[in-house]
Each structure stands twice: as C-alpha cells, then as structure tokens.
Amino acid sequence: VCFVVSSPLIVKFFLIEQIAALSRTYRLACATNCGGDPAWLQQRGIAVPLLDLRIERAPSPIRDLLALRALQRYFRANRFDVVHSVSPKGGLLAMTAAALAGVPVRIHTFTGQVWANRSGLQRFILKALDTWIATMATHILVDSESQLAFLLREGVLRASKSRVLGQGSISGVDIERFRPNEDVRADIRLSHDVPSSAIAFLYLGRLKRDKGVLDLALAFSQFARDHEGSYLFIVGPDEDLLETHIRQICGHCISRIRFNGYTDNPESWLAACDVLCLPSYREGFGSTIIEAASVGIPALGSRIYGITDAIDEGVTGLVHNPGDVSELVSKMRILALDDGLRRSLGCAARERAHRYYTKEAVTAGLLEFYAQTLGTGGAW
C-alpha cells in the first residue's frame, strides 16, 4: 500500500494514526514532499519507507509532470496493490499515475473542494480535475455526508463507488490530548494579558480569505463595541497575509485581539478560549470543531457542507449563513451573554466527540474498510 499526500503537514496532523495502524497489517509506503528528509516518519516512530516527492500546491506544469512520472515509476517498480491519495494535487497525480501503472486498487479521500465557492472558468477547470480524480479511482472516501451529497449532486462522484466511513472525519480526535485544562487556560490568558473571566473567541487554522477570517474580524469589530470584556485569538499561519487587513478592520479594538502564528499545540489554545469560530466558505468536515468539542467548548460555524456535519445545530454549537456578518455578530452575542447555554453546548459537544469521533473509532473504520475492500479479513 502506498499513501500519497501533497504535504507532510497533512500526514502529521491527520494521518499519523492511520498510517501507523495500517503499517502493522500491510506493507506500507508513503510519498510526500518531505523536504529532503526521507527519515521523517521513522523519526516519529513509524517504520514506513518514504519517497520524497516534490508536489507543489500551486499549478506547476513541469514539476507536476516530473512528479507524475516519478510516481508512475515508483508504483511499477514496487508493484503496489493499493495506492491511497489525500489532497487535490496528491490525488490528481497519484490516481493518474496509479492507473497508468496498473495498480488494481486506487483509493482517494475527498476532504473539501477548492472550487466550491468559485465561479466561471476557474470553477469549471477545478471541478473537472476532481471529476478526473474520481474517474481514475476505483474507490472514493469522503469525510462528511453533506460533502458526499454535494459531490453527487454536482456529478463529480458515482454513488456506487463512494462512501463515508462512520460519522465522517478524516482523522478523529485524540481525546487524551484535546481535553479541558484549567492550568493551560490560566497560563495562556496570563501570558497574553487576557482576564480569566473574559469571553474569548478563537479562530484556529490557516488564515485564508475563503475561511471567512475577514468576516470574523468585521463581526468582532462590531461585537466588541458593546462588549468590552471580550477578546479574539487568531492562531495559525497567515497564508493570505491577512493580519494587516484585520488590524485595519479592528482598529478600535485591536488591543483585544491576540495573534499567534503556526502552532504545534492547538489543544492549548482551545483550552484557553470559550468559543471556536469557523466562518468558512468551504470545508470538508471541520476537524477543529470536533477538537474544540473534545475540549468542551462549543463552535460557531457557517452553514455549509462539512461544518453542518461537525456541528449539531443548537445542540453542540450554533451556525450562521456564510458571509452573513450581521448573523455572525448576533450568534456571538448569544454565546457571550448566556453562560448556561455556552456550558450546555460545550458539554453536549464533548459527549458527541467522544461517542463518534475518537481517533480510535476513525482508525478502526479505515482498517475495516481496507479489510472489506481487499477481501483480506484484515491481512494479506
């Protein structure tokens, strides 16, 4: 079995458990852009050979063709029975190369569509590429039911070879790592000069326009005028260089916004805050939502496919229409002013995360899928 992923960060944050579990049953290899460090997985205690493959996230015809050729040769030389890809570019290259190399079982996992909120020629081309991936694959996994329904409506997938494992999610959540922690909460708030009693909202993830980060900034700017004891943490790499725009939008309340870049400890920031905000325009599942749930805090997200699977509306969190800043402000007020509701939503979210979305449950679902698909009963 060979896993192909465009970025090692996807492996690190989402696939480590599955790769480790599968490697105990199958002869596993992995191909990703590991920056010239072929021992990257071994250093994390996983004895899986790693092909360092230059896969660019942005379109790069020459490098993409070189990567396609390298994958085709690698698959043929190692006579893989299965190739499993995750991420759009990884899927495009891996499914095409695997089909050309005659790999019999070709699995791709869809985790969201970059074209979902695009229009015109760009949407047409990107959607066509996803359709090509689905055509080249023999089996399709989708990480949420609402995303699967969207892809079926759009004609990208065929129902006969597409499915969602369990309740969705690509990786589940480590409930021992993501849990309430009063000491961490106190330490982070103290080090960032945020009162222990203040309401703190959190955005956690890549800072990109299509994640609705600027909508959240505008909403907090309006909300903060009437709620002086409120704060906003923005944690994640600034891929679209949005911090300057956020500072301009939130000029009058910038003293109550705390920026932090990339973090290896998302659980700490979740433990320090009261509400996770994900006002995204596109999402595959919303993994940070179930991480927040495991910590015991509710989520406020946009009403789009993927997020509506991760949030049980009115039970584990609240939702708003994407791009509707006024509704976002209104929901922020509800959560800020009603301590009882916030605690009730957080408790229900934690119970749901522990029932359906533990990393063990998600990994077990993938292992069962492999055993059923390969007809091995769990082993070759």
Side-chain angles (χ1 to χ4, degrees):
V1 179
C2 184
F3 261 81
V4 181
V5 186
S6 59
S7 166
L9 292 179
I10 297 175
V11 177
K12 179 178 180 180
F13 287 114
F14 300 113
L15 299 177
I16 281 288
E17 296 293 335
Q18 291 92 322
I19 287 175
L22 285 166
S23 71
R24 291 190 284 269
T25 300
Y26 306 102
R27 293 190 296 275
L28 205 69
C30 187
T32 190
N33 193 345
C34 59
D37 183 6
W40 184 78
L41 279 174
Q42 283 86 343
Q43 293 165 0
R44 287 157 175 79
I46 301 175
V48 171
L50 184 62
L51 172 67
D52 187 6
L53 187 68
R54 184 72 177 272
I55 302 178
E56 302 287 344
R57 288 185 65 184
S60 178
I62 294 177
R63 287 175 178 169
D64 291 345
L65 285 172
L66 291 174
L68 177 68
R69 181 66 171 161
L71 280 174
Q72 185 180 356
R73 288 174 174 171
Y74 186 61
F75 295 158
R76 280 182 173 162
N78 289 277
R79 301 178 64 187
F80 286 106
D81 302 286
V82 183
V83 169
H84 189 159
S85 58
V86 182
S87 75
K89 179 64 78 68
L92 179 65
L93 297 176
M95 292 297 96
T96 303
L100 291 172
V103 177
V105 178
R106 305 182 296 276
I107 305 166
H108 179 71
T109 299
F110 280 99
T111 60
Q113 289 67 55
V114 296
W115 49 269
N117 61 321
R118 308 285 177 89
S119 60
L121 182 61
Q122 190 177 51
R123 177 186 174 93
F124 175 82
I125 293 173
L126 293 172
K127 179 181 174 182
L129 292 176
D130 270 359
T131 304
W132 175 260
I133 292 171
T135 301
M136 291 296 98
T138 59
H139 300 77
I140 295 293
L141 298 178
V142 186
D143 68 352
S144 70
E145 289 287 355
S146 58
Q147 181 187 178
L148 174 58
F150 170 77
L151 289 170
L152 291 173
R153 286 196 307 272
E154 291 288 331
V156 174
L157 304 184
R158 295 205 317 266
S160 60
K161 67 175 183 179
S162 307
R163 63 181 293 187
V164 175
L165 301 180
Q167 299 295 312
S169 173
I170 186 176
S171 59
V173 60
D174 183 343
I175 63 175
E176 294 301 319
R177 178 183 176 191
F178 290 89
R179 57 185 177 84
N181 191 320
E182 291 298 327
D183 291 336
V184 169
R185 177 185 176 92
D187 288 346
I188 287 184
R189 288 190 173 225
L190 180 63
S191 64
H192 289 79
D193 193 25
V194 174
S196 59
S197 59
I199 294 296
F201 295 92
L202 169 68
Y203 174 83
L204 177 64
R206 296 177 297 142
L207 274 63
K208 294 186 69 66
R209 291 178 183 273
D210 59 7
K211 295 292 185 178
V213 181
L214 296 183
D215 289 347
L216 179 59
L218 184 56
F220 184 75
S221 176
Q222 296 177 18
F223 169 83
R225 292 185 185 277
D226 302 319
H227 300 82
E228 294 184 359
S230 59
Y231 289 78
L232 173 62
F233 285 85
I234 299 178
V235 180
D238 189 359
E239 294 187 1
D240 281 358
L241 304 178
L242 298 181
E243 182 174 340
T244 299
H245 298 285
I246 295 170
R247 290 184 176 278
Q248 292 171 348
I249 292 170
C250 298
H252 73 94
C253 60
I254 195 63
S255 63
R256 286 185 276 147
I257 297 181
R258 303 292 184 264
F259 291 95
N260 192 84
Y262 169 83
T263 179
D264 275 325
N265 303 295
E267 68 276 13
S268 297
W269 299 97
L270 289 164
C273 296
D274 301 294
V275 178
L276 174 75
C277 298
L278 186 56
S280 185
Y281 287 83
R282 64 174 183 89
E283 207 70 36
F285 176 78
S287 294
T288 55
I289 290 172
I290 59 168
E291 291 171 349
S294 187
V295 173
I297 66 172
L300 173 55
S302 47
R303 190 180 283 107
I304 61 171
Y305 74 76
I307 290 182
T308 54
D309 296 76
I311 298 176
D312 187 353
E313 184 175 359
V315 178
T316 66
L318 302 181
V319 297
H320 61 89
N321 290 318
D324 191 334
V325 173
S326 295
E327 189 182 8
L328 177 53
V329 172
S330 175
K331 298 296 175 68
M332 292 174 77
R333 287 198 181 103
I334 291 172
L335 290 171
L337 297 175
D338 194 334
D339 293 347
L341 175 63
R342 206 169 54 248
R343 284 193 295 269
S344 173
L345 295 173
C347 288
R350 192 161 194 257
E351 192 276 333
R352 185 170 184 258
H354 288 200
R355 176 181 296 180
Y356 297 121
Y357 297 114
T358 65
K359 64 177 183 179
E360 291 83 4
V362 173
T363 300
L366 183 64
L367 288 171
E368 182 181 1
F369 165 76
Y370 263 74
Q372 292 173 349
T373 300
L374 303 176
T376 60
W380 279 76

